[in-house]
């Protein structure tokens, strides 16, 4: 009852989708190596979830270097800017000693979805697609990637059950187990909602709460 609406409104999608993908869809275990593509409002919550379960290496991938500092505060252990490495997949495979146990695509880019799959470990690697790709877009990879044991799977709303899991996440926030305040970087009145979209497109905000 005492949960602040201007904070827990974010649980309505971003927090639940990111944290839930780790806890409920992938069921990441302690000690796993995780790669997160995209360090926006979803990716940061994937990192938060990975830290909660005790993942070992949590590698964030983003072309915006300004995202590194906040991602590290949420539990990211390593940062990779794809523009600074010649071959992203090879680089990530080397960083994880053969490939990640889990990868999460949080952008909605089909090229990244392929890279996210191919940077996982053969035999047991699992890649979770969270990002929503443009209408009509298709994913592709060589069959060899799947025949050698990797898995591609999707996650909607983090695999969370609305009636039971969402109240649990609110409790975790109230108990200090989940960070939400830091992710709400701006608050604007309804009349300035277009500014919120501009901030998002410019990569200057994580989430803006609109108050009316």
């Amino acid at each position: 009852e005492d949960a602040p609406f201007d904070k827990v409104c974010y649980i309505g999608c971003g927090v639940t989708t990111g944290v839930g993908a780790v806890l409920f869809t992938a069921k990441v275990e302690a000690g796993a190596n995780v790669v997160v593509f995209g360090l926006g409002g979803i990716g940061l919550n994937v990192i938060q979830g990975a830290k909660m379960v005790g993942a070992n290496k949590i590698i964030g991938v983003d072309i915006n270097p300004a995202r590194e500092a906040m991602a590290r505060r949420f539990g990211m252990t390593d940062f990779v800017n794809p523009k600074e490495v010649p071959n992203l997949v090879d680089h990530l495979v080397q960083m994880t000693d053969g490939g990640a146990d889990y990868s999460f695509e949080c952008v909605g880019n089909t090229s990244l979805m392929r890279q996210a799959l191919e940077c996982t470990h053969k035999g047991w690697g699992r890649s979770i697609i969270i990002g929503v790709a443009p209408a009509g877009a298709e994913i592709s990879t060589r069959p060899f990637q799947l025949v050698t044991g990797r898995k591609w799977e999707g996650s909607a709303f983090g695999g969370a059950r609305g009636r039971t899991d969402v109240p649990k996440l609110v409790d975790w926030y109230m108990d200090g187990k989940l960070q939400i305040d830091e992710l709400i970087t701006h608050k604007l009145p309804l009349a300035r909602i277009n500014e919120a979209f501009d901030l998002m497109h410019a990569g200057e905000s994580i989430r803006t709460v609109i108050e009316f």
Side-chain angles (χ1 to χ4, degrees):
E1 293 291 337
D2 54 341
F5 276 7
D6 63 341
K7 301 292 194 300
V8 297
C9 61
Y10 192 10
I11 289 177
C13 180
V15 174
T16 307
T17 300
V19 173
V22 174
L23 272 62
F24 308 129
T25 301
K27 297 180 174 66
V28 175
E29 65 277 357
N33 289 328
V34 173
V35 177
V36 183
F37 287 75
L39 302 178
I42 302 294
L44 290 171
N45 280 296
V46 171
I47 287 173
Q48 181 165 207
K51 183 183 180 184
M52 285 176 70
V53 300
N56 177 29
K57 221 170 227 185
I58 304 173
I59 302 169
V61 179
D62 203 296
I63 57 173
N64 183 354
R67 292 285 164 87
E68 180 178 0
M70 181 174 281
R72 287 193 182 278
R73 290 203 296 273
F74 274 76
M76 182 183 74
T77 60
D78 301 88
F79 176 73
V80 177
N81 186 335
K83 293 181 175 179
E84 297 176 355
V85 295
N87 186 311
L88 179 61
V89 170
D90 287 350
H91 186 75
L92 293 170
V93 168
Q94 290 172 23
M95 287 181 73
T96 51
D97 193 24
D101 300 306
Y102 301 91
S103 70
F104 297 84
E105 200 281 346
C106 309
V107 179
N109 180 301
T110 54
S111 296
L112 291 185
M113 291 174 187
R114 177 171 186 163
Q115 291 175 323
L117 175 77
E118 296 180 0
C119 79
T120 62
H121 204 292
K122 62 184 176 185
W124 63 81
R126 290 173 63 196
S127 186
I128 316 298
I129 295 174
I130 306 173
V132 179
E138 296 183 351
I139 53 175
S140 64
T141 189
R142 291 177 298 125
F144 174 81
Q145 296 290 337
L146 298 171
V147 169
T148 46
R150 297 170 186 83
K151 289 182 180 176
W152 240 337
E153 50 198 297
S155 177
F157 199 49
R161 296 179 174 90
R163 290 186 181 180
T164 54
D165 292 329
V166 170
K168 192 187 307 178
L169 292 176
V170 175
D171 287 340
W172 288 351
Y173 166 70
M174 296 301 288
D175 293 341
K177 296 175 184 174
L178 267 182
Q179 299 179 66
I180 294 181
D181 296 29
E182 296 86 347
L183 292 166
I184 298 172
T185 51
H186 298 77
K187 279 189 182 181
L188 292 172
L190 185 59
R192 296 171 62 190
I193 190 169
N194 285 343
E195 291 178 41
F197 284 108
D198 292 338
L199 287 165
M200 180 179 69
H201 289 305
E204 293 177 18
S205 68
I206 301 299
R207 282 292 184 273
T208 300
V209 168
I210 304 298
E211 296 181 310
F212 60 93

